[in-house]
Coordinates of all heavy atoms in Angstrom, one line a residue:
M1 N 20.1 7.9 17.6 CA 20.0 9.0 18.6 C 19.2 8.4 19.8 O 18.2 7.8 19.6 CB 19.4 10.2 18.0 CG 19.3 11.4 18.9 SD 18.7 12.8 18.0 CE 20.1 13.4 17.3
K2 N 19.7 8.6 21.0 CA 19.1 8.1 22.2 C 18.0 9.0 22.8 O 17.1 8.5 23.4 CB 20.1 7.8 23.2 CG 21.2 6.9 22.8 CD 20.8 5.5 23.1 CE 22.0 4.6 22.8 NZ 21.6 3.2 22.7
N3 N 18.1 10.3 22.6 CA 17.2 11.2 23.1 C 16.6 12.1 22.0 O 17.2 12.4 21.0 CB 17.8 12.1 24.2 CG 18.3 11.4 25.4 OD1 17.7 10.4 25.7 ND2 19.4 11.8 26.0
C4 N 15.4 12.7 22.3 CA 14.7 13.6 21.4 C 15.5 14.9 21.3 O 15.9 15.4 22.3 CB 13.3 13.9 21.8 SG 12.4 15.1 20.8
P5 N 15.8 15.4 20.0 CA 16.6 16.6 19.9 C 15.8 17.8 20.4 O 16.4 18.8 20.7 CB 16.8 16.7 18.4 CG 15.8 15.9 17.7 CD 15.4 14.8 18.7
Q6 N 14.5 17.7 20.5 CA 13.7 18.9 20.9 C 13.4 18.9 22.4 O 13.7 19.9 23.1 CB 12.4 19.0 20.1 CG 11.7 20.3 20.4 CD 10.5 20.5 19.4 OE1 10.3 19.6 18.6 NE2 9.9 21.6 19.5
C7 N 12.8 17.8 22.9 CA 12.4 17.8 24.3 C 13.4 17.0 25.2 O 13.3 17.1 26.4 CB 11.0 17.3 24.4 SG 10.8 15.6 24.0
G8 N 14.2 16.2 24.6 CA 15.2 15.4 25.4 C 14.7 14.1 26.0 O 15.4 13.4 26.8
K9 N 13.4 13.7 25.7 CA 12.9 12.5 26.2 C 13.6 11.3 25.6 O 13.9 11.3 24.5 CB 11.4 12.4 25.9 CG 10.7 11.2 26.4 CD 9.2 11.3 26.2 CE 8.5 10.0 26.5 NZ 8.4 9.8 27.9
P10 N 13.9 10.3 26.5 CA 14.7 9.1 26.0 C 13.8 8.3 24.9 O 12.6 8.3 25.0 CB 14.9 8.3 27.2 CG 14.5 9.1 28.4 CD 13.7 10.2 27.9
R11 N 14.5 7.8 24.0 CA 13.9 7.0 22.9 C 13.3 5.7 23.5 O 14.0 5.0 24.2 CB 14.9 6.8 21.8 CG 14.3 6.1 20.6 CD 15.3 6.1 19.5 NE 14.7 5.7 18.2 CZ 15.3 5.7 17.1 NH1 16.5 6.2 17.0 NH2 14.7 5.4 16.0
Q12 N 12.1 5.3 23.1 CA 11.5 4.1 23.5 C 11.4 3.1 22.3 O 10.7 3.3 21.4 CB 10.1 4.4 24.0 CG 10.0 5.3 25.2 CD 10.5 4.7 26.4 OE1 10.4 3.5 26.6 NE2 11.1 5.5 27.3
G13 N 12.2 2.1 22.3 CA 12.2 1.0 21.3 C 12.7 1.6 20.0 O 13.7 2.3 19.9
E14 N 12.1 1.1 18.9 CA 12.5 1.4 17.5 C 11.6 2.4 16.9 O 11.4 2.4 15.7 CB 12.6 0.2 16.7 CG 13.7 -0.8 17.1 CD 15.1 -0.2 16.9 OE1 15.3 0.4 15.9 OE2 15.9 -0.5 17.8
T15 N 11.0 3.3 17.6 CA 10.1 4.3 17.0 C 10.9 5.4 16.3 O 12.1 5.6 16.6 CB 9.3 5.0 18.1 OG1 10.2 5.6 19.1 CG2 8.4 4.1 18.9
F16 N 10.3 6.0 15.3 CA 10.9 7.0 14.5 C 10.7 8.4 15.0 O 11.5 9.3 14.8 CB 10.4 6.9 13.0 CG 10.7 5.7 12.3 CD1 9.7 4.8 11.9 CD2 12.0 5.3 12.1 CE1 10.0 3.6 11.3 CE2 12.3 4.1 11.4 CZ 11.3 3.3 11.0
K17 N 9.6 8.6 15.7 CA 9.2 9.9 16.2 C 9.2 9.9 17.7 O 8.9 8.9 18.3 CB 7.8 10.3 15.7 CG 7.8 10.7 14.3 CD 6.3 11.1 13.9 CE 6.2 11.6 12.5 NZ 4.8 12.0 12.3
C18 N 9.4 11.1 18.3 CA 9.2 11.3 19.7 C 7.7 11.2 20.0 O 6.9 11.9 19.4 CB 9.8 12.6 20.2 SG 9.5 13.0 21.9
P19 N 7.2 10.4 21.0 CA 5.8 10.3 21.3 C 5.3 11.6 21.9 O 4.1 11.9 21.9 CB 5.7 9.2 22.2 CG 7.1 9.0 22.8 CD 8.0 9.5 21.8
V20 N 6.1 12.5 22.5 CA 5.6 13.7 23.1 C 5.5 14.8 22.1 O 4.4 15.4 22.0 CB 6.6 14.1 24.3 CG1 6.2 15.4 24.9 CG2 6.7 13.0 25.3
C21 N 6.6 15.1 21.4 CA 6.5 16.3 20.5 C 6.4 16.0 19.0 O 6.4 16.9 18.2 CB 7.7 17.2 20.8 SG 9.3 16.3 20.6
Q22 N 6.4 14.7 18.7 CA 6.3 14.3 17.3 C 7.4 14.7 16.4 O 7.2 15.0 15.2 CB 4.9 14.7 16.7 CG 3.7 14.1 17.4 CD 3.7 12.6 17.3 OE1 3.9 12.0 16.3 NE2 3.4 11.9 18.4
V23 N 8.6 14.9 16.9 CA 9.8 15.3 16.1 C 10.5 14.0 15.8 O 10.7 13.1 16.7 CB 10.6 16.3 16.9 CG1 11.9 16.6 16.2 CG2 9.9 17.6 17.1
F24 N 11.1 13.9 14.6 CA 11.9 12.7 14.2 C 13.2 12.8 15.0 O 13.8 13.9 15.2 CB 12.2 12.7 12.7 CG 11.0 12.4 11.9 CD1 10.2 13.3 11.3 CD2 10.6 11.0 11.8 CE1 9.1 13.0 10.5 CE2 9.5 10.7 11.1 CZ 8.7 11.7 10.4
Y25 N 13.7 11.6 15.4 CA 15.0 11.6 16.1 C 16.2 12.0 15.3 O 17.1 12.6 15.8 CB 15.2 10.2 16.7 CG 14.2 9.9 17.9 CD1 13.2 9.0 17.7 CD2 14.4 10.5 19.1 CE1 12.4 8.7 18.8 CE2 13.6 10.2 20.1 CZ 12.5 9.3 20.0 OH 11.7 9.0 21.0
S26 N 16.2 11.6 14.0 CA 17.2 12.0 13.1 C 16.7 12.1 11.7 O 15.6 11.6 11.4 CB 18.4 11.0 13.2 OG 18.0 9.8 12.6
Q27 N 17.5 12.6 10.7 CA 17.0 12.7 9.4 C 16.9 11.3 8.7 O 16.0 11.0 7.9 CB 18.0 13.5 8.5 CG 17.9 15.0 8.9 CD 18.9 15.8 8.0 OE1 19.8 15.3 7.5 NE2 18.6 17.1 7.9
I28 N 17.8 10.4 9.2 CA 17.6 9.0 8.7 C 16.3 8.4 9.1 O 15.7 7.7 8.3 CB 18.8 8.1 9.2 CG1 20.1 8.7 8.6 CG2 18.7 6.7 8.9 CD1 21.4 8.0 9.1
D29 N 15.9 8.6 10.3 CA 14.6 8.1 10.8 C 13.5 8.7 10.0 O 12.5 8.0 9.7 CB 14.5 8.4 12.3 CG 15.3 7.6 13.2 OD1 15.7 6.5 12.7 OD2 15.6 8.0 14.3
E30 N 13.6 10.0 9.6 CA 12.5 10.6 8.8 C 12.5 10.0 7.5 O 11.4 9.7 7.0 CB 12.8 12.1 8.7 CG 11.7 12.9 8.0 CD 12.0 14.4 8.0 OE1 13.0 14.8 8.6 OE2 11.1 15.1 7.5
I31 N 13.6 9.7 6.9 CA 13.6 9.0 5.5 C 13.0 7.6 5.6 O 12.2 7.2 4.8 CB 15.0 9.0 5.0 CG1 15.5 10.5 4.7 CG2 15.1 8.2 3.7 CD1 16.9 10.6 4.3
L32 N 13.4 6.9 6.7 CA 12.9 5.5 6.8 C 11.4 5.5 7.1 O 10.7 4.7 6.6 CB 13.6 4.8 8.0 CG 15.1 4.5 7.8 CD1 15.7 4.0 9.0 CD2 15.2 3.5 6.6
Y33 N 10.9 6.5 7.8 CA 9.5 6.6 8.1 C 8.7 6.9 6.8 O 7.7 6.3 6.6 CB 9.3 7.7 9.2 CG 7.8 7.9 9.5 CD1 7.2 7.0 10.4 CD2 7.1 9.0 9.0 CE1 5.8 7.2 10.7 CE2 5.8 9.2 9.3 CZ 5.1 8.3 10.1 OH 3.8 8.5 10.5
E34 N 9.2 7.8 6.0 CA 8.6 8.1 4.8 C 8.5 6.9 3.8 O 7.5 6.7 3.2 CB 9.2 9.3 4.1 CG 9.0 10.6 4.8 CD 9.8 11.8 4.3 OE1 10.6 11.6 3.3 OE2 9.7 12.9 4.8
E35 N 9.6 6.2 3.8 CA 9.7 5.0 2.9 C 8.7 3.9 3.4 O 8.1 3.3 2.6 CB 11.1 4.5 2.9 CG 11.3 3.3 2.0 CD 11.3 3.6 0.6 OE1 11.5 4.8 0.2 OE2 11.0 2.7 -0.2
Q36 N 8.6 3.8 4.7 CA 7.7 2.8 5.3 C 6.2 3.2 4.9 O 5.4 2.4 4.6 CB 7.9 2.7 6.8 CG 7.0 1.7 7.5 CD 7.2 1.8 9.0 OE1 7.7 2.7 9.6 NE2 6.7 0.7 9.6
Q37 N 5.9 4.5 5.0 CA 4.6 5.0 4.7 C 4.3 4.8 3.2 O 3.2 4.4 2.8 CB 4.4 6.5 5.1 CG 4.5 6.7 6.6 CD 3.4 6.0 7.3 OE1 2.3 6.0 6.9 NE2 3.8 5.4 8.4
L38 N 5.3 5.0 2.3 CA 5.1 4.8 0.9 C 4.8 3.4 0.6 O 3.9 3.0 -0.2 CB 6.3 5.3 0.2 CG 6.3 5.2 -1.4 CD1 5.2 6.0 -1.9 CD2 7.6 5.5 -2.0
L39 N 5.6 2.5 1.2 CA 5.3 1.0 1.0 C 4.0 0.6 1.5 O 3.3 -0.2 0.9 CB 6.4 0.2 1.7 CG 7.8 0.3 1.1 CD1 8.8 -0.5 1.9 CD2 7.8 -0.3 -0.3
E40 N 3.5 1.2 2.6 CA 2.2 0.9 3.1 C 1.1 1.3 2.2 O 0.1 0.6 2.0 CB 2.0 1.5 4.5 CG 0.7 1.3 5.1 CD 0.4 -0.1 5.5 OE1 1.3 -0.9 5.7 OE2 -0.8 -0.5 5.6
R41 N 1.3 2.5 1.6 CA 0.3 3.0 0.7 C 0.2 2.2 -0.6 O -0.9 2.1 -1.2 CB 0.5 4.5 0.4 CG 0.2 5.5 1.5 CD 0.2 6.9 1.0 NE 1.4 7.3 0.4 CZ 2.4 7.9 1.0 NH1 2.3 8.1 2.3 NH2 3.5 8.2 0.4
R42 N 1.3 1.7 -1.0 CA 1.4 0.9 -2.3 C 1.0 -0.5 -2.1 O 0.7 -1.2 -3.1 CB 2.8 1.0 -2.9 CG 3.1 2.3 -3.5 CD 4.3 2.3 -4.2 NE 4.5 3.6 -5.0 CZ 5.6 3.8 -5.7 NH1 6.5 2.9 -5.8 NH2 5.7 5.0 -6.3
S43 N 1.0 -1.0 -0.9 CA 0.7 -2.4 -0.7 C -0.9 -2.6 -0.8 O -1.6 -1.7 -0.7 CB 1.1 -2.9 0.7 OG 0.4 -2.3 1.7
L44 N -1.3 -3.8 -1.1 CA -2.7 -4.1 -1.2 C -3.4 -3.9 0.1 O -4.5 -3.4 0.1 CB -2.9 -5.6 -1.7 CG -4.3 -6.0 -2.0 CD1 -4.9 -5.1 -3.1 CD2 -4.4 -7.4 -2.4
S45 N -2.8 -4.3 1.2 CA -3.5 -4.1 2.5 C -3.7 -2.6 2.8 O -4.7 -2.2 3.3 CB -2.7 -4.8 3.6 OG -1.4 -4.2 3.8
G46 N -2.7 -1.8 2.4 CA -2.8 -0.4 2.6 C -3.9 0.3 1.8 O -4.6 1.1 2.2
R47 N -4.0 -0.2 0.5 CA -5.0 0.3 -0.4 C -6.4 -0.1 0.1 O -7.3 0.6 0.0 CB -4.8 -0.3 -1.8 CG -3.6 0.4 -2.4 CD -3.3 -0.2 -3.8 NE -2.2 0.5 -4.5 CZ -1.9 0.3 -5.7 NH1 -2.6 -0.5 -6.4 NH2 -0.9 1.0 -6.2
L48 N -6.5 -1.4 0.6 CA -7.8 -1.8 1.1 C -8.2 -1.0 2.4 O -9.4 -0.8 2.6 CB -7.8 -3.3 1.4 CG -7.7 -4.2 0.2 CD1 -7.6 -5.7 0.6 CD2 -8.9 -4.0 -0.7
K49 N -7.2 -0.7 3.2 CA -7.5 0.2 4.4 C -8.1 1.5 3.9 O -9.0 2.1 4.5 CB -6.3 0.4 5.2 CG -5.9 -0.8 6.0 CD -4.6 -0.5 6.8 CE -4.1 -1.8 7.5 NZ -2.8 -1.5 8.1
N50 N -7.5 2.1 2.8 CA -8.0 3.3 2.3 C -9.5 3.2 1.8 O -10.3 4.1 2.0 CB -7.1 3.9 1.2 CG -5.8 4.3 1.7 OD1 -5.6 4.6 2.9 ND2 -4.8 4.4 0.9
V51 N -9.8 2.1 1.2 CA -11.1 1.8 0.7 C -12.1 1.7 1.9 O -13.2 2.3 1.8 CB -11.2 0.5 -0.2 CG1 -12.6 0.1 -0.5 CG2 -10.4 0.8 -1.5
W52 N -11.6 1.0 2.9 CA -12.5 0.8 4.1 C -12.8 2.1 4.8 O -13.8 2.3 5.3 CB -11.8 -0.2 5.0 CG -12.7 -0.6 6.1 CD1 -12.6 -0.1 7.4 CD2 -13.9 -1.4 6.1 NE1 -13.6 -0.7 8.2 CE2 -14.4 -1.5 7.4 CE3 -14.5 -2.2 5.1 CZ2 -15.5 -2.3 7.7 CZ3 -15.6 -2.9 5.4 CH2 -16.1 -3.0 6.7
A53 N -11.8 3.0 4.8 CA -11.9 4.3 5.5 C -12.6 5.4 4.6 O -13.0 6.4 5.1 CB -10.6 4.9 5.9
A54 N -12.9 5.1 3.3 CA -13.5 6.1 2.4 C -15.0 6.2 2.8 O -15.6 5.3 3.3 CB -13.3 5.6 1.0
A55 N -15.5 7.4 2.5 CA -16.9 7.7 2.7 C -17.8 6.9 1.7 O -18.8 6.3 2.1 CB -17.2 9.2 2.6
D56 N -17.4 6.9 0.5 CA -18.1 6.1 -0.6 C -17.2 4.9 -0.9 O -16.4 5.0 -1.8 CB -18.3 7.0 -1.8 CG -19.2 6.4 -2.8 OD1 -19.7 5.3 -2.5 OD2 -19.4 6.9 -3.9
R57 N -17.5 3.8 -0.2 CA -16.6 2.6 -0.4 C -16.8 2.0 -1.8 O -15.8 1.5 -2.3 CB -17.0 1.6 0.6 CG -16.6 2.0 2.0 CD -16.8 0.9 3.0 NE -16.5 1.3 4.4 CZ -17.2 0.9 5.4 NH1 -18.1 0.0 5.3 NH2 -16.8 1.4 6.6
Q58 N -18.0 2.1 -2.3 CA -18.2 1.5 -3.7 C -17.4 2.2 -4.7 O -16.7 1.6 -5.6 CB -19.7 1.5 -4.0 CG -20.0 0.8 -5.3 CD -21.5 0.7 -5.6 OE1 -22.2 1.3 -4.9 NE2 -21.9 -0.1 -6.5
A59 N -17.4 3.5 -4.7 CA -16.6 4.3 -5.6 C -15.1 4.1 -5.4 O -14.3 4.0 -6.4 CB -16.9 5.8 -5.5
A60 N -14.7 4.0 -4.1 CA -13.3 3.8 -3.8 C -12.8 2.5 -4.3 O -11.7 2.3 -4.8 CB -13.0 4.0 -2.3
L61 N -13.6 1.4 -4.2 CA -13.3 0.1 -4.6 C -13.2 0.1 -6.1 O -12.3 -0.6 -6.7 CB -14.3 -0.9 -4.1 CG -14.0 -2.4 -4.4 CD1 -12.7 -2.8 -3.7 CD2 -15.1 -3.3 -3.9
K62 N -14.1 0.8 -6.8 CA -14.1 0.8 -8.3 C -12.8 1.5 -8.7 O -12.2 1.1 -9.7 CB -15.3 1.6 -8.8 CG -15.5 1.6 -10.2 CD -16.8 2.2 -10.6 CE -17.1 2.2 -12.1 NZ -18.3 2.8 -12.5
Q63 N -12.4 2.6 -8.0 CA -11.2 3.3 -8.4 C -10.0 2.4 -8.1 O -9.0 2.4 -8.9 CB -11.1 4.6 -7.6 CG -9.9 5.4 -7.9 CD -9.9 5.9 -9.3 OE1 -10.9 6.3 -9.9 NE2 -8.7 5.9 -10.0
L64 N -10.0 1.7 -7.0 CA -8.9 0.7 -6.7 C -8.7 -0.3 -7.8 O -7.6 -0.6 -8.3 CB -9.1 0.1 -5.4 CG -8.1 -1.0 -5.0 CD1 -6.7 -0.4 -4.9 CD2 -8.5 -1.7 -3.7
R65 N -9.9 -0.9 -8.3 CA -9.8 -1.9 -9.3 C -9.3 -1.3 -10.6 O -8.4 -1.9 -11.3 CB -11.2 -2.4 -9.6 CG -11.2 -3.7 -10.4 CD -12.6 -4.2 -10.7 NE -13.2 -3.3 -11.7 CZ -14.5 -2.9 -11.6 NH1 -15.2 -3.2 -10.5 NH2 -15.0 -2.1 -12.5
A66 N -9.7 -0.1 -11.0 CA -9.2 0.6 -12.2 C -7.7 0.9 -12.0 O -6.9 0.7 -13.0 CB -9.9 1.9 -12.4
D67 N -7.2 1.3 -10.9 CA -5.8 1.6 -10.6 C -5.0 0.3 -10.7 O -3.9 0.3 -11.3 CB -5.6 2.2 -9.3 CG -6.1 3.6 -9.2 OD1 -6.3 4.2 -10.3 OD2 -6.3 4.1 -8.1
L68 N -5.5 -0.8 -10.2 CA -4.7 -2.1 -10.2 C -4.6 -2.6 -11.6 O -3.6 -3.1 -12.1 CB -5.4 -3.1 -9.3 CG -5.2 -2.9 -7.8 CD1 -6.0 -4.0 -7.1 CD2 -3.8 -3.0 -7.4
W69 N -5.7 -2.4 -12.4 CA -5.7 -2.9 -13.8 C -4.7 -2.0 -14.6 O -4.0 -2.5 -15.5 CB -7.0 -2.9 -14.4 CG -7.1 -3.5 -15.8 CD1 -7.2 -2.8 -17.0 CD2 -6.9 -4.9 -16.1 NE1 -7.2 -3.7 -18.0 CE2 -7.0 -4.9 -17.5 CE3 -6.7 -6.0 -15.4 CZ2 -6.9 -6.1 -18.2 CZ3 -6.6 -7.2 -16.1 CH2 -6.7 -7.3 -17.5
R70 N -4.7 -0.7 -14.4 CA -3.8 0.2 -15.1 C -2.3 -0.1 -14.8 O -1.5 0.0 -15.6 CB -4.1 1.6 -14.8 CG -3.4 2.6 -15.6 CD -3.7 4.1 -15.3 NE -3.5 4.4 -13.9 CZ -4.4 4.7 -13.0 NH1 -5.7 4.8 -13.4 NH2 -4.1 5.0 -11.8
E71 N -2.0 -0.5 -13.5 CA -0.7 -0.8 -13.1 C -0.2 -2.2 -13.5 O 1.0 -2.4 -13.3 CB -0.5 -0.5 -11.6 CG -0.7 0.9 -11.2 CD -0.8 1.1 -9.7 OE1 -0.6 0.1 -9.0 OE2 -1.0 2.2 -9.3
T72 N -1.1 -3.0 -13.9 CA -0.7 -4.4 -14.2 C 0.1 -4.4 -15.5 O -0.4 -3.8 -16.5 CB -2.0 -5.3 -14.3 OG1 -2.7 -5.2 -13.1 CG2 -1.6 -6.7 -14.6
P73 N 1.2 -5.1 -15.6 CA 2.0 -5.2 -16.8 C 1.2 -5.9 -17.9 O 0.3 -6.7 -17.7 CB 3.2 -6.0 -16.4 CG 3.3 -6.0 -15.0 CD 1.9 -5.8 -14.5
L74 N 1.5 -5.5 -19.2 CA 0.8 -6.0 -20.4 C 0.9 -7.5 -20.5 O -0.1 -8.2 -20.8 CB 1.4 -5.4 -21.6 CG 0.7 -5.8 -22.9 CD1 -0.7 -5.4 -22.9 CD2 1.5 -5.2 -24.1
K75 N 2.1 -8.1 -20.2 CA 2.2 -9.6 -20.3 C 1.3 -10.3 -19.2 O 0.8 -11.4 -19.5 CB 3.7 -10.0 -20.0 CG 4.6 -9.7 -21.2 CD 6.0 -10.1 -20.9 CE 6.9 -9.8 -22.1 NZ 8.3 -10.3 -21.9
T76 N 1.2 -9.7 -18.1 CA 0.3 -10.3 -17.1 C -1.2 -10.2 -17.5 O -1.9 -11.2 -17.4 CB 0.5 -9.6 -15.7 OG1 1.8 -9.6 -15.4 CG2 -0.4 -10.2 -14.7
K77 N -1.6 -9.1 -18.1 CA -2.9 -9.0 -18.7 C -3.2 -10.0 -19.7 O -4.3 -10.6 -19.7 CB -3.1 -7.6 -19.2 CG -3.2 -6.5 -18.2 CD -3.4 -5.1 -18.9 CE -3.3 -4.0 -17.9 NZ -3.4 -2.7 -18.5
I78 N -2.3 -10.2 -20.7 CA -2.4 -11.2 -21.7 C -2.5 -12.6 -21.2 O -3.4 -13.4 -21.6 CB -1.3 -11.1 -22.7 CG1 -1.4 -9.7 -23.5 CG2 -1.3 -12.2 -23.7 CD1 -0.2 -9.4 -24.3
T79 N -1.7 -12.9 -20.2 CA -1.8 -14.2 -19.5 C -3.1 -14.4 -18.8 O -3.7 -15.5 -19.0 CB -0.6 -14.3 -18.5 OG1 0.6 -14.1 -19.2 CG2 -0.6 -15.7 -17.9
L80 N -3.6 -13.4 -18.1 CA -4.9 -13.6 -17.4 C -6.0 -13.8 -18.4 O -6.9 -14.6 -18.2 CB -5.2 -12.4 -16.5 CG -4.3 -12.3 -15.3 CD1 -4.6 -11.0 -14.6 CD2 -4.7 -13.4 -14.3
L81 N -6.0 -13.0 -19.5 CA -7.1 -13.1 -20.5 C -7.0 -14.4 -21.2 O -8.1 -15.0 -21.5 CB -7.0 -11.9 -21.5 CG -7.3 -10.6 -20.9 CD1 -7.1 -9.5 -21.9 CD2 -8.8 -10.5 -20.4
T82 N -5.8 -15.0 -21.4 CA -5.7 -16.3 -22.1 C -6.2 -17.4 -21.1 O -6.9 -18.3 -21.6 CB -4.2 -16.6 -22.4 OG1 -3.7 -15.5 -23.2 CG2 -4.0 -17.9 -23.1
I83 N -5.9 -17.3 -19.9 CA -6.4 -18.3 -18.9 C -8.0 -18.2 -18.8 O -8.6 -19.3 -18.9 CB -5.8 -18.1 -17.5 CG1 -4.3 -18.4 -17.6 CG2 -6.5 -18.9 -16.4 CD1 -3.6 -18.0 -16.3
F84 N -8.5 -17.0 -18.8 CA -10.0 -16.9 -18.7 C -10.6 -17.4 -20.0 O -11.7 -18.1 -20.0 CB -10.4 -15.5 -18.5 CG -10.1 -14.9 -17.1 CD1 -9.6 -13.7 -16.9 CD2 -10.4 -15.7 -16.0 CE1 -9.3 -13.2 -15.6 CE2 -10.1 -15.3 -14.7 CZ -9.6 -14.0 -14.5
A85 N -10.0 -17.2 -21.2 CA -10.6 -17.7 -22.4 C -10.5 -19.2 -22.5 O -11.4 -19.9 -22.9 CB -9.8 -17.1 -23.6
F86 N -9.4 -19.8 -22.0 CA -9.3 -21.2 -22.0 C -10.3 -21.9 -21.0 O -10.9 -22.9 -21.4 CB -7.9 -21.6 -21.5 CG -7.6 -23.1 -21.5 CD1 -7.5 -23.8 -22.7 CD2 -7.4 -23.8 -20.3 CE1 -7.2 -25.1 -22.7 CE2 -7.2 -25.1 -20.3 CZ -7.1 -25.8 -21.5
V87 N -10.5 -21.3 -19.9 CA -11.5 -21.9 -18.9 C -12.9 -21.7 -19.5 O -13.7 -22.6 -19.4 CB -11.4 -21.1 -17.6 CG1 -12.5 -21.5 -16.7 CG2 -10.0 -21.5 -16.9
F88 N -13.2 -20.6 -20.1 CA -14.5 -20.4 -20.8 C -14.7 -21.4 -21.9 O -15.8 -22.0 -22.0 CB -14.6 -19.0 -21.4 CG -15.8 -18.7 -22.0 CD1 -17.0 -18.5 -21.3 CD2 -15.9 -18.7 -23.4 CE1 -18.2 -18.2 -22.0 CE2 -17.1 -18.4 -24.1 CZ -18.2 -18.2 -23.4
A89 N -13.7 -21.7 -22.7 CA -13.8 -22.7 -23.7 C -14.0 -24.1 -23.2 O -14.8 -24.9 -23.7 CB -12.5 -22.7 -24.6
L90 N -13.4 -24.4 -22.1 CA -13.6 -25.7 -21.4 C -15.0 -25.8 -20.9 O -15.7 -26.9 -21.0 CB -12.6 -25.9 -20.3 CG -11.2 -26.3 -20.7 CD1 -10.3 -26.3 -19.4 CD2 -11.1 -27.6 -21.4
I91 N -15.5 -24.8 -20.3 CA -16.9 -24.8 -19.7 C -17.9 -24.9 -20.8 O -18.9 -25.7 -20.7 CB -17.1 -23.6 -18.9 CG1 -16.3 -23.7 -17.6 CG2 -18.6 -23.5 -18.5 CD1 -16.3 -22.4 -16.7
V92 N -17.7 -24.2 -21.9 CA -18.7 -24.2 -23.0 C -18.7 -25.6 -23.7 O -19.7 -26.1 -24.1 CB -18.4 -23.1 -24.0 CG1 -19.2 -23.3 -25.3 CG2 -18.7 -21.8 -23.4
S93 N -17.5 -26.2 -23.8 CA -17.4 -27.5 -24.5 C -18.1 -28.6 -23.7 O -18.6 -29.6 -24.2 CB -16.0 -27.9 -24.8 OG -15.3 -28.1 -23.6
V94 N -18.1 -28.5 -22.3 CA -18.7 -29.5 -21.5 C -20.3 -29.3 -21.5 O -21.0 -30.3 -21.5 CB -18.2 -29.3 -20.0 CG1 -19.0 -30.2 -19.1 CG2 -16.8 -29.7 -20.0
L95 N -20.7 -28.1 -21.6 CA -22.2 -27.9 -21.7 C -22.7 -28.3 -23.0 O -23.7 -28.8 -23.3 CB -22.5 -26.4 -21.4 CG -22.2 -25.9 -20.0 CD1 -22.5 -24.5 -19.9 CD2 -22.9 -26.7 -18.9

């Protein structure tokens, strides 16, 4: 869509919303915008932005760490714990 359906202002670039009235240009643009926001919230950089913007950063970071551990697959957890145990065994044997 070339113009805003509400105010008629021409579209500037690849934006999803009209800069004047904040209306989506089409339903497809609205779906794409929501998908982009969801990906941003789920990415590590998006999560770190939320931690940085939180009033209690320490609690937000602790919650983020707990969420990441809960979302980590079981095979990945087992692999990480095996690597840490192996490195610990190497360090203890050298000392």
Side-chain angles (χ1 to χ4, degrees):
M1 186 174 274
K2 301 271 185 196
N3 295 330
C4 176
Q6 188 170 4
C7 67
K9 183 172 172 70
R11 187 173 189 167
Q12 299 291 327
E14 293 295 320
T15 58
F16 296 115
K17 290 182 176 182
C18 175
V20 176
C21 58
Q22 297 298 316
V23 173
F24 287 101
Y25 288 108
S26 68
Q27 288 182 341
I28 294 173
D29 288 336
E30 186 173 0
I31 292 169
L32 291 174
Y33 179 77
E34 289 172 2
E35 184 69 24
Q36 182 183 19
Q37 294 301 315
L38 179 66
L39 288 174
E40 177 68 24
R41 284 193 306 268
R42 285 189 173 179
S43 70
L44 184 60
S45 64
R47 289 178 176 188
L48 290 175
K49 286 178 187 177
N50 290 340
V51 169
W52 187 256
D56 187 6
R57 290 184 186 150
Q58 187 174 10
L61 187 61
K62 189 175 182 180
Q63 182 64 39
L64 174 64
R65 192 181 77 224
D67 290 343
L68 287 175
W69 186 252
R70 186 179 59 246
E71 294 171 3
T72 303
L74 180 62
K75 288 183 179 181
T76 305
K77 290 178 185 178
I78 292 171
T79 303
L80 287 173
L81 291 175
T82 304
I83 291 170
F84 289 138
F86 182 71
V87 170
F88 178 76
L90 285 175
I91 290 173
V92 169
S93 66
V94 171
L95 295 177

